[in-house]
């Protein structure tokens, strides 16, 4: 049960952050819509098999996980032997917290780190599979998230379908500058205020009846 709850919560939190970032950047929604219309067309939903053909949606997911890693400090580690890291002595037995939240916003690693720019991942080999230390939303090494492949697919397909099947806008009267992006710092770093948005279907009506 914990496994199912953990995996579902992480994916839902990530998708909610993605939509929040997109509501602040209508031009990113427009680009994603262009990709979805071209690759999928308006006659069907997106499936897992389509994901390799949707590099822009993939870039949106990576950019969301860079700015909003679900586990901002991963899981605590324990140094098993004395070590020196960047000039600091770490004695054996030290509890080590890796702040992937800070790494994802480090200006030495990322250009305009505070900006939501999926384009930075287009044509880049950077991935979220624990090999590229700039981007570790699933951690790395032997304690890396064993559910990363499932989690990633769930996020990609859910987000793609939410963008493909609906137009998105903010509630009446709210500007994109007013959309609050505070987070609750904790185990899964969700939004402080749940997202409210207005959705309208944009595919043929019979597709919603089946879904
Ligand atoms: C968006 C989805 C997910 C994200 C962002 C995520 C993230 C993470 C992170 C950061 C860790 C700690 C890794 C480390 O410290 O190196 C972790 C551990 C773990 N994750 Fe996930 N996870 C996701 C989905 C899932 C799913 C779908 C499952 C199971 C079906 C799962 C099961 C686990 C388990 C069991 C651990 C503990 C592994 C260990 O300590 O040995 N996760 N996850």
């Amino acid at each position: 049960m914990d496994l199912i709850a953990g995996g579902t919560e992480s994916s839902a939190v990530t998708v909610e952050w993605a939509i929040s970032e997109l509501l602040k950047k209508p031009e990113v929604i427009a680009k994603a819509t262009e990709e979805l219309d071209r690759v999928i067309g308006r006659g069907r939903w997106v499936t897992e098999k389509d994901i390799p053909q949707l590099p822009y949606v993939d870039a949106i997911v990576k950019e969301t996980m860079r700015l909003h890693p679900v586990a901002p400090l991963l899981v605590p580690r324990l140094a098993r032997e004395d070590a020196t890291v960047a000039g600091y002595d770490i004695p054996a037995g030290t509890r080590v917290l890796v702040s992937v939240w800070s790494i994802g916003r480090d200006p030495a690693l990322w250009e305009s780190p505070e900006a939501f720019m999926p384009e930075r991942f287009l044509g880049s080999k950077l991935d979220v599979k624990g090999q590229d230390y700039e981007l570790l939303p699933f951690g790395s090494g032997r304690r890396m998230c064993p559910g990363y492949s499932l989690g990633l697919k769930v996020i990609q397909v859910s987000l793609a379908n939410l963008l493909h099947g609906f137009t998105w806008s903010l509630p009446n009267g709210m500007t994109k500058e007013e959309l609050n992006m505070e987070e609750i710092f904790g185990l899964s770093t969700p939004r402080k205020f749940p997202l409210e948005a207005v959705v309208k279907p944009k595919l043929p009506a019979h597709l919603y009846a089946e879904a």
Side-chain angles (χ1 to χ4, degrees):
M1 273 314 287
D2 279 355
L3 264 184
I4 295 169
T8 317
E9 154 98 6
S10 316
S11 310
V13 165
T14 305
V15 171
E16 195 183 6
W17 277 120
I19 298 276
S20 308
E21 291 287 357
L22 296 183
L23 284 167
K24 285 191 172 284
K25 287 234 157 171
E27 66 274 20
V28 175
I29 298 193
K31 272 180 136 178
T33 304
E34 183 281 316
E35 180 176 83
L36 288 159
D37 282 344
R38 179 166 38 80
V39 177
I40 310 294
R42 295 270 169 124
R44 66 176 180 91
W45 292 101
V46 183
T47 70
E48 198 185 312
K49 287 199 201 99
D50 299 313
I51 296 301
Q53 274 70 253
L54 299 170
Y56 196 68
V57 171
D58 180 64
I60 293 175
V61 171
K62 286 180 177 155
E63 184 68 337
T64 304
M65 299 188 111
R66 177 181 74 82
L67 286 170
H68 306 283
V70 171
L73 299 176
L74 299 181
V75 169
R77 262 84 176 159
L78 190 77
R80 286 200 301 197
E81 44 194 76
D82 293 345
T84 306
V85 178
Y88 292 91
D89 292 330
I90 318 280
T94 305
R95 181 198 288 209
V96 180
L97 300 175
V98 179
S99 178
V100 291
W101 192 95
S102 310
I103 295 172
R105 291 168 188 248
D106 185 344
L109 299 172
W110 303 99
E111 204 187 311
S112 309
E114 299 294 330
F116 187 85
M117 297 191 318
E119 290 72 17
R120 67 174 88 239
F121 290 109
L122 293 178
S124 142
K125 285 206 162 55
L126 269 188
D127 216 332
V128 290
K129 299 181 176 163
Q131 303 300 314
D132 302 309
Y133 283 18
E134 303 92 317
L135 191 64
L136 295 174
F138 296 101
S140 184
R142 292 171 68 180
R143 297 304 292 272
M144 184 180 163
C145 177
Y148 84 87
S149 173
L150 173 65
L152 200 55
K153 282 184 190 136
V154 170
I155 294 171
Q156 289 165 332
V157 176
S158 324
L159 180 66
N161 276 315
L162 287 174
L163 294 175
H164 188 50
F166 303 91
T167 60
W168 288 82
S169 54
L170 289 165
N172 228 349
M174 189 192 276
T175 66
K176 49 190 177 28
E177 291 73 26
E178 280 166 355
L179 175 59
N180 183 296
M181 298 294 269
E182 281 178 79
E183 52 196 20
I184 299 175
F185 188 79
L187 218 53
S188 71
T189 329
R191 289 176 55 82
K192 185 165 175 185
F193 304 101
L195 179 65
E196 281 179 41
V198 180
V199 295
K200 291 200 187 118
K202 63 178 184 186
L203 302 177
H206 70 93
L207 288 177
Y208 298 88
E210 287 163 15

